[in-house]
């Protein structure tokens, strides 16, 4: 009996038979930002990540955090141009200030500012409209740019995708427009079989489509496409992220629209060309883009330059400014000021961060994060920022490192520039808004990134109560 009993207890400990004894290690609590629920096909706006933050969590020691931050600047892998801001995400208490008010080249962390400004002014549910008009006198269909550069080549998916970061891309499509056009021609004219002409109109977005501040290599290497207010999949010509782009996204979309019409039995005369006038045209089809919340999630997660620049121009247009780089700079600055964010030294030449003349301080970055926390339309910002070790541009960078699961951030890198900004939760559960910017660096990202990530790892593991 003793032998049998001992054997049963051993099997119980190995979890082979039912019982309360186990040899397995104790379950480790989940990281504050990690969610156990699967990603839904159609993402839902919300503030789930923010809801898990604890306002009563112990605060870190400001002197210890300041010392850690100063050590980053003294690190041989960075330099004296490394400036840092660390503030309490919940109440704004300053834990570290290493020339935080000094503006620097921000690279792609500019996208964080663009997203905050746009959503605060336009709303999380804001959408753009791509329409088709019909001029019966000339039998001309005109595809009109409305600010969506992520149209699907055929039918839209409307958020029915496996990954949340991909939801906005292909939300609506040219196939949807073509279906509406066919129905309208049959209903309005009764002679839809007769040949039509197709034009595109992107006059609302005067450009330049390729910002003069953007380097040529960004186009040749597929890092971005021209921004004209109308494009299919960011003007990509093949599948993939950094692939060849159409030189004229509007006409490229027009040519694909011709194909969709022809597939549905519409006879199209000639190729798609630019419109000269729509004075007598009436709308016969229209589709809405993804909600701006999903667009923001996409551009922040995968650092989409084309989409970020288009969002900035959409904001400019909606703010009464021209949809140009200068107009978007004024619109973004005004939106940040309206939120109460300090804009001292702020200088913008694009909304994506390719310009090496952009200037943003770490204090403006953390200020924008704190302002977003109290703005209802931006309640989902933490969800839009990718989670270290799991999502977007910080998925592989932090795999197996202390910040994984505890750090939601937007990265930034240009030649000689390394930057990152976001919200990190300490081991004690205290959320910190962090921005680290370094410009004037030697070529290569590995060294400064390593220094930044050592600092972030120290913060993540910090049990340094103040």
């Amino acid at each position: 009996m003793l032998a049998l009993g001992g054997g049963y207890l051993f099997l119980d400990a190995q979890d082979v038979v039912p019982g309360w004894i186990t040899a397995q290690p104790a379950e480790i609590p989940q990281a504050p930002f990690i969610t156990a629920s699967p990603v839904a096909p159609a993402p839902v706006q919300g503030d789930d990540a923010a809801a898990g933050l604890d306002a009563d969590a112990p605060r870190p020691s400001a002197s210890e955090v300041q010392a850690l931050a100063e050590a980053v600047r003294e690190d041989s892998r960075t330099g004296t141009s490394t400036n840092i801001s660390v503030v309490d995400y919940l109440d704004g208490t300053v834990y570290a200030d290493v020339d935080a008010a000094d503006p620097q080249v921000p690279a792609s962390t500019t996208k964080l500012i663009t997203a905050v400004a746009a959503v605060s002014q336009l709303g999380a549910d804001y959408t753009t409209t791509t329409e088709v008009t019909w001029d019966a006198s000339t039998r001309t269909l005109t595809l009109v740019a409305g600010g969506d550069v992520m149209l699907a080549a055929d039918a839209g998916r409307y958020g029915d995708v496996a990954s949340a970061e991909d939801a906005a891309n292909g939300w609506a499509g040219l196939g949807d427009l073509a279906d509406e056009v066919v129905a309208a021609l049959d209903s309005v004219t009764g002679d839809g079989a007769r040949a039509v002409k197709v034009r595109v109109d992107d006059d609302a977005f005067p450009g330049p489509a390729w910002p003069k501040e953007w380097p040529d290599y960004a186009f040749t290497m597929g890092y971005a496409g021209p921004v004209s207010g109308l494009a299919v999949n960011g003007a990509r010509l093949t599948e993939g992220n950094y692939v060849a782009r159409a030189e004229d996204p509007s006409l490229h979309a027009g040519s694909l629209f011709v194909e969709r019409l022809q597939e549905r039995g519409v006879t199209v005369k000639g190729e798609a060309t630019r419109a000269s006038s729509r004075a007598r045209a009436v709308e016969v089809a229209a589709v809405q883009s993804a909600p701006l919340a999903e667009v923001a999630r996409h551009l922040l997660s995968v650092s989409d330059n084309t989409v970020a620049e288009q969002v900035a121009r959409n904001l400019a247009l909606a703010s009464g400014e021209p949809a140009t780089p200068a107009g978007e700079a004024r619109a973004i600055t005004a939106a940040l000021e309206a939120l109460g964010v300090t804009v001292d030294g702020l200088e913008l030449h694009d909304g994506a961060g390719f310009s090496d003349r952009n200037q943003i301080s770490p204090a403006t970055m953390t200020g924008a994060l704190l302002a977003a926390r109290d703005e209802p339309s931006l309640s989902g910002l933490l969800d839009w920022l990718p989670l270290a070790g799991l999502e977007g541009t910080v998925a592989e960078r932090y795999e197996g490192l202390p910040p994984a699961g505890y750090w939601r951030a937007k990265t930034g890198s240009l030649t000689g520039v390394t930057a990152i900004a976001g919200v990190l939760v300490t081991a004690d559960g205290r959320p910190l808004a962090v921005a680290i910017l370094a410009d004037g660096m030697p070529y290569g990202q590995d060294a400064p990134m390593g220094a930044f990530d050592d600092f972030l790892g120290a913060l993540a593991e910090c049990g340094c109560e103040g």
Side-chain angles (χ1 to χ4, degrees):
M1 291 294 291
L2 288 173
L4 289 173
Y8 189 91
L9 291 175
F10 173 79
L11 293 174
D12 179 11
Q14 304 305 312
D15 294 332
V16 175
V17 298
W20 58 273
I21 302 174
T22 181
Q24 297 299 315
E27 183 175 340
I28 299 173
Q30 237 172 344
F33 282 144
I34 294 180
T35 173
S37 59
V39 176
V44 178
Q45 300 168 20
D47 56 351
D48 295 339
L53 302 179
D54 182 5
D56 297 323
R59 301 169 180 274
S61 162
S63 61
E64 291 196 37
V65 176
Q66 179 71 24
L68 289 171
E70 290 176 355
V72 179
R73 176 182 277 188
E74 298 301 320
D75 195 304
S76 62
R77 295 170 293 178
T78 61
T80 56
S81 69
T82 303
N83 297 339
I84 301 172
S85 174
V86 181
V87 301
D88 195 293
Y89 178 69
L90 297 180
D91 65 16
T93 299
V94 176
Y95 297 118
D97 182 331
V98 180
D99 289 331
D102 182 16
Q104 295 170 266
V105 181
S108 277
T109 54
T110 303
K111 295 181 178 71
L112 175 60
I113 299 299
T114 296
V116 167
V119 177
S120 69
Q121 289 295 301
L122 304 177
D125 296 328
Y126 175 83
T127 60
T128 60
T129 303
T130 304
E131 67 174 6
V132 178
T133 63
W134 169 248
D135 185 339
S137 66
T138 60
R139 295 192 61 79
T140 299
L141 292 166
T142 302
L143 180 62
V144 184
D148 188 352
V149 294
M150 291 191 286
L151 289 162
D154 202 330
R157 299 177 299 181
Y158 295 92
D160 188 11
V161 295
S163 174
E165 68 187 30
D166 297 327
N169 198 20
W171 187 278
L174 297 178
D176 305 325
L177 287 169
D179 287 338
E180 291 187 30
V181 165
V182 170
L185 290 180
D186 288 341
S187 172
V188 175
T189 70
D191 58 357
R194 286 178 55 197
V196 301
K197 291 178 288 186
V198 172
R199 304 287 184 261
V200 296
D201 181 352
D202 56 11
D203 285 351
F205 299 90
W210 188 259
K212 65 179 183 179
E213 292 286 327
W214 284 10
D216 292 338
Y217 75 79
F219 179 76
T220 57
M221 298 185 72
Y223 293 152
V227 181
S228 63
L230 174 65
V232 170
N233 189 24
R236 293 174 179 86
L237 298 177
T238 59
E239 292 298 319
N241 191 12
Y242 301 130
V243 297
R245 312 271 185 142
E247 292 187 8
D248 190 325
S250 297
L251 284 181
H252 176 247
S255 67
L256 293 175
F257 185 52
V258 168
E259 292 178 11
R260 301 294 85 79
L261 291 170
Q262 291 172 331
E263 289 167 357
R264 289 157 174 78
V266 178
T267 301
V268 179
K269 183 179 180 180
E271 299 178 346
T273 59
R274 274 197 159 69
S276 57
S277 173
R278 292 188 294 118
R280 291 171 289 181
V282 295
E283 181 185 302
V284 291
V287 293
Q288 305 299 312
S289 70
L292 184 53
E294 298 303 338
V295 176
R297 184 198 304 271
H298 171 84
L299 74 87
L300 291 172
S301 185
V302 303
S303 199
D304 195 312
N305 298 298
T306 314
V307 174
E309 181 65 14
Q310 186 62 63
V311 166
R313 295 191 187 190
N314 292 346
L315 171 63
L317 200 60
S319 302
E321 296 281 356
T324 64
E328 70 193 47
R330 290 191 293 271
I332 291 172
T333 301
L336 294 176
E337 288 181 315
L339 286 171
V341 178
T342 176
V343 294
D344 293 344
L346 179 66
E347 184 177 342
L348 295 173
H349 297 273
D350 76 325
F354 254 131
S355 173
D356 59 10
R357 291 205 296 150
N358 286 348
Q359 294 282 298
I360 305 176
S361 72
T364 294
M365 289 285 182
T366 54
L369 287 165
L370 264 63
R373 176 203 64 203
D374 297 326
E375 173 60 37
S377 64
L378 286 159
S379 62
L381 178 62
L382 291 187
D383 294 305
W384 309 338
L385 285 167
L387 182 61
L390 291 175
E391 301 168 340
T393 57
V394 291
E396 296 181 3
R397 176 170 169 178
Y398 291 98
E399 190 173 3
L401 297 178
Y406 292 83
W407 173 227
R408 289 187 176 271
K410 179 70 201 77
T411 56
S413 60
L414 288 172
T415 301
V417 179
T418 305
I420 197 163
V423 175
L424 179 142
V425 176
T426 70
D428 286 334
R430 196 74 194 179
L432 310 176
V434 181
I436 319 171
L437 282 73
D439 55 15
M441 303 263 68
Y443 181 83
Q445 294 290 331
D446 289 347
M449 281 185 179
F452 286 14
D453 294 347
D454 287 348
F455 169 64
L456 293 165
L459 282 184
E461 296 181 317
C462 184
C464 46
E465 291 187 45

